[in-house]
Amino acid sequence: MNTHASAASATEVVQQGLDKRYSAESRFKIYGILGISIAMVFLFILMFSILSTGIPAFSKSKILLPFYMDPEVINVEDLADPAAARKINLRKIVNDSKAAFFGATERADKRQLEEVVSTLAQLEVLEHIRANPEDVGQTVELWVTADDEAGRWYKGEVDETLPENRRPLNDQQIEWLKRLTAEERVKTTFNDTFFQGGDSRNPEQAGILAALKGSFLTLIVTLGLSFPVGVAAAVYLEEFAPKNRFTDLVEVNINNLAAVPSIIFGLLGLAVFLNIFGMPRSAPVVGGLVLTLMTLPTIIISSRAALRAVPPSIKDAALGLGASPMQTVFHHVVPLALPGMLTGTIIGLAQALGETAPLLMIGMVAFIVDVPQGFTDASSVLPVQIYLWSDSAERAFVEKTSGGIIVLLMFLIAMNAMAVLLRKKFERRW
Amino acid sequence: MTEATMTNEVVEKTGVDRKVPDQTVGNVYVDEPRMTSRAVDVYYGDKQAIDGVTLDIGAQEVISFIGPSGCGKSTFLRCLNRMNDTIDICRVTGEIALDGQNIYDPSIDVVPLRARVGMVFQKPNPFPKSIYDNIAYGPRIHGLATDKVDLDNIVEESLTKAGLWEEVKDRLEQPGTGLSGGQQQRLCIARAMAVSPEVILMDEPCSALDPIATAKVEELIHELREQYTIVIVTHSMQQAARVSNRTAYFHLGKLVEVGETKQIFTNPTHELTQDYITGRFG
């Protein structure tokens, strides 16, 4: 067997096989590159479509109009008191002023002006007149928000080639908008309303802040509950629990829970937290509790994997020095497993951030106008808000939907960046 | 490897049917024992790993355990500070006493026991912390140091005893894992000494080290024998011959022969010991 001749032929056999092996390797590399390229292309298409439709949501059109602050409508004394100020008939001021500017005398023409100037103008007029009460009785030039359809026309999103009756804006309205442009009474500014308010039926008034804060509050509850509970459960199961039938059963059940569809957690939340405990509907605290239930299995499983990955030699070293099991775990094993635990937690939280289904069950799908101030206020969350906008009839909500997605992605990136930083901080080599 | 194949292997290699004796050959008792074990059996589940080991370990002596792989020498060593407790299926019967007190007594707490019987492992396993913290960890958890100055002294003393002080005194804040293999092992020895144990167990402490680092560790063991009782498991018979006063030869879970190191290596009584020493198997 070990003769010289057979050794030489063995080399030949190896040589012949080599080409085959190398071509298999290069084929495999091509598959890999192909796979990555496809993924990148789709990611690029996704990002491009979201950004191209979403970016306009961050800007809005403002138009400059003269407003006659009619002293018969505005009582100067009312301006000091916010409650009384709210009762001023601003609608009449705005409607009269814009009708006068555009020369609209017919009732039908006045109606058409509603697609040019937003109802936000009333608030903007009120703000100005409260800051400058001396302007009552004067005519003041003010920058006010354009209506969503006018805004879309200024952003070039209205197709003028369509027949008039299929366009959101008719010829008369476009005429007015063109006149404003010609007189340089139009400007595009950063859409601060989008980041300051809650949902609205008027696209130009709809904001993301309520949903953003709702998501933030919900995730705080989720993190605050699921991380300590999950880590404690993982540490106990991995390091202290006796290995018997009962702990096996617990383990199997945790693994199964990770695969349970999320809407079932929503039903559980509805049945237990709302109906039995009587907790407030649509509240971030309940949303957080439901998402905690959903995230816990993920955190427990990944934390246990991280704990198992700690080399036993470190544990032996600590035990050999006379550290108690508790000291061994908390001085050595947990610090070394922390980066892995954080990774699992962040994956769980990212999942929770994007979750809609279980939150529908506990009423977080409601139409929320006010920014939530605490954990028990009614609120929405980002993905639900995006879903609601995507379902709205007005065309301007299309860009709001994409704008909302951009905000959601930014939130996610910020969260992941924080996790990476934390992991870097805790990471230690052994 | 099962017991049957092990025995067959012995027969195959030596050509003679050697029987593992029921009774240990040589004198297992010493005058002033620090640790005593009487009829110790160890089981992993149903499998018996140690069978009736009776042995005294004297104060201020270095005793080495030798024997082929799987003979139970490491298992027996780990019984001496109850490190086997960490293995769920491991069961120990018989009696092991430290200074006359049975360490397997239910009233005994393993935490102080392990502070009295320190351990150095086969692979250097410094904590992923600074050199200083590696040494200071034991004294800290046991509350051995009254203040920072005291702790500094313990760290310096331990590192000096381990012959590492001169090499690391300027970089105590650097991670212990950044040292070379030999330095790491001496760091682990220093760490074990920092809690002032009476006995130090060493489980093949040099098997992962190069000859130069091995020589340093052996030199260290030589110096430490003045103050500590040292039990060392080794695969290297030269090492056993160099560092120990007494040598115990294990085979298939039994203690075959024990005696003065010189006698074991020059004039072993039992045939199995003889075969192993002369390198006919193992």
Side-chain angles (χ1 to χ4, degrees):
Chain A
M1 203 177 126
N2 272 336
T3 61
H4 195 72
S6 73
S9 73
T11 320
E12 266 169 42
V13 172
V14 169
Q15 276 297 341
Q16 283 163 5
L18 267 185
D19 289 343
K20 225 170 162 185
R21 281 194 254 169
Y22 285 139
S23 63
E25 188 180 320
S26 51
R27 252 199 325 275
F28 181 77
K29 277 186 192 163
I30 290 172
Y31 296 148
I33 291 170
L34 220 62
I36 291 174
S37 314
I38 291 172
M40 292 300 288
V41 165
F42 277 109
L43 188 67
F44 182 77
I45 292 173
L46 177 80
M47 292 313 285
F48 179 78
S49 79
I50 289 174
L51 287 177
S52 60
T53 41
I55 291 290
F58 300 119
S59 63
K60 64 174 177 184
S61 299
K62 291 199 127 185
I63 49 184
L64 185 65
L65 288 180
F67 289 94
Y68 174 56
M69 304 296 182
D70 194 344
E72 282 173 31
V73 180
I74 304 170
N75 188 351
V76 185
E77 278 120 56
D78 284 348
L79 291 174
D81 177 22
R86 218 171 292 140
K87 291 199 184 106
I88 297 171
N89 191 358
L90 292 157
R91 191 185 170 82
K92 183 172 161 51
I93 300 221
V94 171
N95 281 355
D96 289 354
S97 301
K98 68 186 181 191
F101 177 78
F102 289 109
T105 46
E106 302 295 316
R107 199 178 154 76
D109 283 348
K110 286 182 181 171
R111 286 272 306 271
Q112 285 179 18
L113 276 171
E114 278 171 19
E115 257 105 65
V116 176
V117 181
S118 165
T119 41
L120 264 183
Q122 296 175 18
L123 280 175
E124 284 159 337
V125 168
L126 178 65
E127 234 168 69
H128 175 85
I129 202 69
R130 285 193 68 198
N132 311 289
E134 70 278 3
D135 282 349
V136 173
Q138 311 276 324
T139 299
V140 192
E141 296 264 337
L142 276 184
W143 283 102
V144 294
T145 305
D147 191 72
D148 57 306
E149 292 299 350
R152 288 187 63 233
W153 189 83
Y154 284 126
K155 287 171 191 168
E157 288 166 20
V158 177
D159 186 1
E160 281 183 61
T161 58
L162 285 172
E164 191 176 6
N165 59 359
R166 290 183 57 195
R167 253 189 268 138
L169 296 170
N170 61 24
D171 292 341
Q172 172 71 72
Q173 287 165 328
I174 290 175
E175 198 64 33
W176 287 332
L177 294 177
K178 280 183 178 158
R179 179 185 154 198
L180 287 170
T181 320
E183 293 177 20
E184 291 184 349
R185 284 175 175 275
V186 182
K187 68 173 180 184
T188 305
T189 60
F190 175 66
N191 190 355
D192 50 350
T193 340
F194 188 62
F195 292 99
Q196 280 169 357
D199 200 3
S200 168
R201 292 282 181 242
N202 291 329
E204 75 273 12
Q205 290 184 33
I208 197 84
L209 183 64
L212 187 67
K213 208 166 162 199
S215 267
F216 183 73
L217 292 172
T218 307
L219 280 186
I220 294 253
V221 174
T222 309
L223 176 68
L225 286 173
S226 64
F227 184 66
V229 173
V231 167
V235 168
Y236 179 75
L237 282 174
E238 200 56 41
E239 303 291 339
F240 295 102
K243 301 273 173 285
N244 56 28
R245 257 159 209 272
F246 179 69
T247 47
D248 281 350
L249 190 75
V250 169
E251 188 168 345
V252 168
N253 276 301
I254 289 172
N255 290 343
N256 283 341
L257 275 181
V260 167
S262 57
I263 195 156
I264 292 173
F265 289 107
L267 282 169
L268 180 80
L270 174 64
V272 176
F273 299 131
L274 296 191
N275 291 347
I276 296 181
F277 295 150
M279 294 172 106
R281 213 162 277 273
S282 309
V285 62
V286 184
L289 282 169
V290 168
L291 293 178
T292 299
L293 293 180
M294 200 198 77
T295 332
L296 264 179
T298 314
I299 295 184
I300 293 176
I301 291 170
S302 61
S303 297
R304 291 189 68 179
L307 287 167
R308 265 197 297 265
V310 173
S313 65
I314 297 291
K315 234 181 337 187
D316 280 349
L319 288 173
L321 274 177
S324 67
M326 170 103 171
Q327 285 171 325
T328 304
V329 168
F330 285 99
H331 293 169
H332 301 284
V333 181
V334 169
L336 288 175
L338 206 55
M341 291 172 164
L342 282 173
T343 309
T345 306
I346 219 68
I347 290 172
L349 282 186
Q351 227 176 353
L353 176 64
E355 203 53 72
T356 327
L359 301 180
L360 303 186
M361 291 291 123
I362 53 157
M364 291 189 92
V365 74
F367 177 71
I368 309 292
V369 179
D370 295 318
V371 178
Q373 297 303 318
F375 291 105
T376 50
D377 288 357
S379 87
S380 185
V381 289
L382 286 168
V384 172
Q385 187 65 72
I386 291 166
Y387 161 72
L388 285 174
W389 282 344
S390 74
D391 215 23
S392 297
E394 285 88 346
R395 288 300 306 271
F397 275 122
V398 173
E399 63 181 43
K400 301 281 168 198
T401 307
S402 293
I405 294 173
I406 293 173
V407 171
L408 178 62
L409 288 179
M410 290 297 169
F411 195 117
L412 201 69
I413 290 169
M415 218 164 80
N416 282 344
M418 218 167 64
V420 169
L421 285 179
L422 276 176
R423 214 161 51 206
K424 277 262 144 54
K425 194 172 140 65
F426 290 118
E427 209 147 54
R428 271 187 284 184
R429 289 186 308 117
W430 57 76
Chain B
M1 209 181 281
T2 65
E3 235 170 84
T5 58
M6 284 275 299
T7 323
N8 285 341
E9 199 184 327
V10 174
V11 176
E12 218 175 80
K13 285 198 178 173
T14 57
V16 201
D17 188 4
R18 313 271 196 219
K19 263 188 72 108
V20 181
D22 289 330
Q23 193 75 41
T24 303
V25 179
N27 188 10
V28 296
Y29 305 107
V30 297
D31 288 341
E32 273 177 38
R34 166 124 300 154
M35 296 193 82
T36 57
S37 81
R38 296 288 176 265
V40 171
D41 293 343
V42 180
Y43 300 87
Y44 290 120
D46 295 332
K47 191 176 168 284
Q48 187 165 11
I50 294 285
D51 186 2
V53 170
T54 293
L55 181 66
D56 280 359
I57 296 161
Q60 271 78 51
E61 79 164 348
V62 178
I63 181 167
S64 58
F65 294 172
I66 58 170
S69 294
C71 69
K73 54 193 187 307
S74 286
T75 300
F76 183 67
L77 185 81
R78 289 167 66 93
C79 289
L80 298 177
N81 70 345
R82 290 183 59 178
M83 280 301 280
N84 279 336
D85 289 13
T86 57
I87 302 164
D88 285 333
I89 55 165
C90 184
R91 196 158 50 82
V92 180
T93 62
E95 190 190 289
I96 297 176
L98 172 64
D99 295 330
Q101 196 176 25
N102 184 4
I103 62 170
Y104 278 90
D105 192 273
S107 65
I108 286 283
D109 188 352
V110 294
V111 169
L113 167 72
R114 289 186 188 140
R116 289 169 69 193
V117 184
M119 187 146 188
V120 176
F121 296 85
Q122 184 171 0
K123 231 182 88 197
N125 55 355
F127 298 129
K129 297 170 185 260
S130 70
I131 293 171
Y132 184 93
D133 286 337
N134 260 285
I135 308 294
Y137 182 70
R140 271 193 194 128
I141 56 170
H142 294 298
L144 295 181
T146 45
D147 52 26
K148 178 86 174 86
V149 181
D150 203 11
L151 194 60
D152 287 348
N153 287 338
I154 293 177
V155 170
E156 179 173 349
E157 196 188 324
S158 306
L159 284 170
T160 310
K161 275 196 218 161
L164 202 57
W165 178 249
E166 287 303 319
E167 292 162 55
V168 300
K169 64 180 176 190
D170 300 322
R171 45 173 177 153
L172 289 175
E173 294 314 314
Q174 284 176 24
T177 41
L179 297 172
S180 75
Q183 287 174 324
Q184 285 190 18
Q185 193 61 298
R186 280 183 285 149
L187 180 68
C188 292
I189 295 174
R191 183 177 64 188
M193 286 189 300
V195 290
S196 313
E198 296 161 36
V199 182
I200 299 179
L201 310 177
M202 297 185 177
D203 191 357
E204 298 178 35
C206 300
S207 64
L209 305 183
D210 65 45
I212 294 166
T214 302
K216 283 198 173 165
V217 172
E218 283 180 9
E219 207 175 295
L220 175 59
I221 294 170
H222 252 294
E223 285 161 21
L224 298 179
R225 72 202 301 171
E226 312 280 308
Q227 295 170 50
Y228 303 96
T229 300
I230 295 174
V231 185
I232 177 168
V233 166
T234 176
H235 267 301
S236 154
M237 280 177 277
Q238 292 85 342
Q239 183 170 62
R242 282 194 295 266
V243 300
S244 62
N245 319 76
R246 283 166 83 222
T247 298
Y249 173 67
F250 285 76
H251 192 92
L252 295 177
K254 285 192 171 157
L255 179 55
V256 174
E257 182 167 359
V258 65
E260 295 295 321
T261 299
K262 207 175 277 175
Q263 177 253 318
I264 291 281
F265 282 98
T266 54
N267 187 20
T269 314
H270 198 271
E271 295 91 339
L272 280 170
T273 321
Q274 209 164 359
D275 291 345
Y276 184 71
I277 300 292
T278 51
R280 257 186 276 182
F281 75 91

